[in-house]
Amino acid sequence: MKRKTLSFAAIAFLGLLANAQQIKFEEYDLPNGLHVILHQDNTAPVVTTSVMYHVGAKDEVKGRTGFAHFFEHLLFEGTPNIQRGDWFKIVSSNGGRNNANTTSDRTYYYETFPSNNEQLGLWMEAERMRHGIINQIGVDTQREVVKEEKRMRMDNQPYGNILTALVNNLFTNSQYHWPTIGSIEDLNAAKLEEFQAFYKKFYVPNNATLVVAGDIKPEQTKKWIAEYYGTIPKGAEIQRVYTPDAPITQEKVVTYEDPNIQLPAYIYAYRTPGNTTRDSKVLDMVSAYLSGGKSSVLYKKLVDQDKKALQVSANSLGFEKEGIFAFLAIPMGATPEADLRTVIDAEIKKMQTTLISDEDFQKLKNQFENSFVNQNSSIEGIAHSLANSYMLLGDTNLINKEIDIYRSITKEDIQNAAKKYLNPNQRVIINYVPAKK
């Protein structure tokens, strides 16, 4: 048997790669509870200033859903010092770019400027935190924006409500029961005072993480942070209530109709642990093994060989408190749902009873090494990873250490996760079908 060895050059390259991925950072807290993370990288003259607030869809209550995503839009309305409609103009006229996004667990805002405008980015995010304007004209305007977003991205988009169907049926009592965009009816019913109370409760320094990454001079950055953020009042302590669902012990089958599709989609969904657990990382590998690319087992079987599916995927979605593992299959022609389910169940059974091959295991490890490198290949990516690692994973240094968790996963771990979480009596089957005419 011929042994394969790495050349000295390859070994040296891998060593350099490992060192290059060590993200250095400094973190500290202001007296008002704001957590600050600084990352200095002077290789390019850009700075990203970002703020992650620990508020997402799961922090809402039934009957008033969609607030966190609504605020993603509303807090661009302006402040006493930034006129309504000027936020994006200020950013673009100073050579910057900015955006925001919301999940079930957090809301994230950022600006990236040439480094000579670092102070501007810090000031703008402090303005948003200190005194964002929450008035009726802003609420009315952004309601229409959110309605149009929902129409374009979900209601009028083929398969646009798959995630809604998934969370509505996989979670029944918990706050993951609704999608991030929430309910337009809830937003329409909410009074101005409710939006103002939501801002006062969640958009406070002790519920936020500020990251400044890039071409900075740390001592100067700290002075600006103290000046702009240090005097923002600390908010009241947030009492978080999460209501977990009872375990699924019997297979459930539901039907969801979509008027925008001609071909059905079939979803096989399981509840899994939240993204702070090691098992969530193992399930990421299970997902990659089953459907990570055209050489994955499900794609080769259902799409390439048997021609039974146009598309198939196994998706591991991690939230803060819980997770989802969901298979999605769109049939080729008139392929029955049962045929797709039989193949998927056979592959699950194979994982539960037989260890994956050494070759497949090595391919998995290579995929995750590559993903780790790519997610921190830009200053914006590093800023997001630092905030996410601290706020949602509980350890900022996971930006460097998380890959070690994936490296420690064994073939036995993969087998055990499939045995523990992917059983027929633990799932919801969603038949996502064309609406009847």
Side-chain angles (χ1 to χ4, degrees), residues 173-208:
N173 294 314
S174 84
Q175 289 91 325
Y176 290 121
H177 174 66
W178 50 85
T180 304
I181 203 165
S183 163
I184 297 301
E185 289 74 23
D186 289 353
L187 293 176
N188 284 338
K191 306 298 184 185
L192 177 62
E193 294 77 16
E194 294 177 79
F195 292 111
Q196 291 170 336
F198 194 84
Y199 176 72
K200 182 179 180 181
K201 179 177 181 178
F202 290 109
Y203 292 84
V204 291
N206 47 305
N207 194 47

Side-chain angles (χ1 to χ4, degrees), residues 74-75 77-82 84 127-128 131-135 138 199:
L74 188 61
L75 290 185
E77 280 287 309
T79 74
N81 299 309
I82 300 176
R84 186 169 181 267
E127 283 287 296
R128 195 194 312 268
H131 43 208
I133 292 178
I134 315 298
N135 59 21
Y199 176 72

Side-chain angles (χ1 to χ4, degrees), residues 358-372:
D358 290 342
E359 181 181 359
D360 285 333
F361 187 53
Q362 185 60 51
K363 184 173 73 171
L364 277 179
K365 292 196 288 187
N366 294 343
Q367 287 177 0
F368 280 85
E369 294 275 355
N370 186 56
S371 176
F372 172 71

Side-chain angles (χ1 to χ4, degrees), residues 21 39 61 64 75 94 126 134 170 213 293-294 355:
Q21 290 308 306
H39 166 67
V61 295
R64 287 297 182 267
L75 290 185
N94 284 278
I134 315 298
L170 192 62
K294 293 186 177 181
L355 295 177

Side-chain angles (χ1 to χ4, degrees), residues 260-415:
N260 302 306
I261 63 173
Q262 295 180 327
L263 292 174
Y266 302 111
I267 304 161
Y268 311 98
Y270 309 77
R271 280 199 226 124
T272 54
N275 58 15
T276 59
T277 64
R278 188 172 185 274
D279 275 359
S280 72
K281 307 295 189 291
V282 179
L283 288 162
D284 288 343
M285 281 198 158
V286 173
S287 166
Y289 169 74
L290 289 168
S291 71
K294 293 186 177 181
S295 63
S296 61
V297 293
L298 284 178
Y299 188 93
K300 285 195 297 185
K301 179 67 174 172
L302 282 171
V303 180
D304 276 353
Q305 297 174 15
D306 295 350
K307 310 292 187 202
K308 289 184 176 181
L310 285 173
Q311 180 181 330
V312 63
S313 63
N315 310 280
S316 180
L317 309 175
F319 301 133
E320 186 177 19
K321 297 293 185 182
E322 299 195 54
I324 296 172
F325 197 98
F327 295 89
L328 169 68
I330 298 177
M332 174 78 78
T335 302
E337 179 273 330
D339 287 8
L340 301 174
R341 178 162 33 97
T342 298
V343 173
I344 290 171
D345 284 350
E347 291 301 335
I348 295 173
K349 193 68 175 177
K350 190 183 298 182
M351 292 188 74
Q352 293 172 333
T353 55
T354 307
L355 295 177
I356 66 174
S357 70
D358 290 342
E359 181 181 359
D360 285 333
F361 187 53
Q362 185 60 51
K363 184 173 73 171
L364 277 179
K365 292 196 288 187
N366 294 343
Q367 287 177 0
F368 280 85
E369 294 275 355
N370 186 56
S371 176
F372 172 71
V373 171
N374 289 336
Q375 74 178 359
N376 296 324
S377 61
S378 69
I379 289 298
E380 286 180 2
I382 289 171
H384 178 268
S385 291
L386 286 167
N388 191 73
S389 295
Y390 172 77
M391 180 171 287
L392 298 183
L393 301 179
D395 180 0
T396 312
N397 200 37
L398 280 173
I399 193 172
N400 295 312
K401 298 189 302 183
E402 190 173 39
I403 188 60
D404 294 329
I405 300 175
Y406 287 108
R407 287 169 178 159
S408 73
I409 292 170
T410 65
K411 292 190 288 184
E412 288 78 11
D413 290 331
I414 292 171
Q415 182 183 53

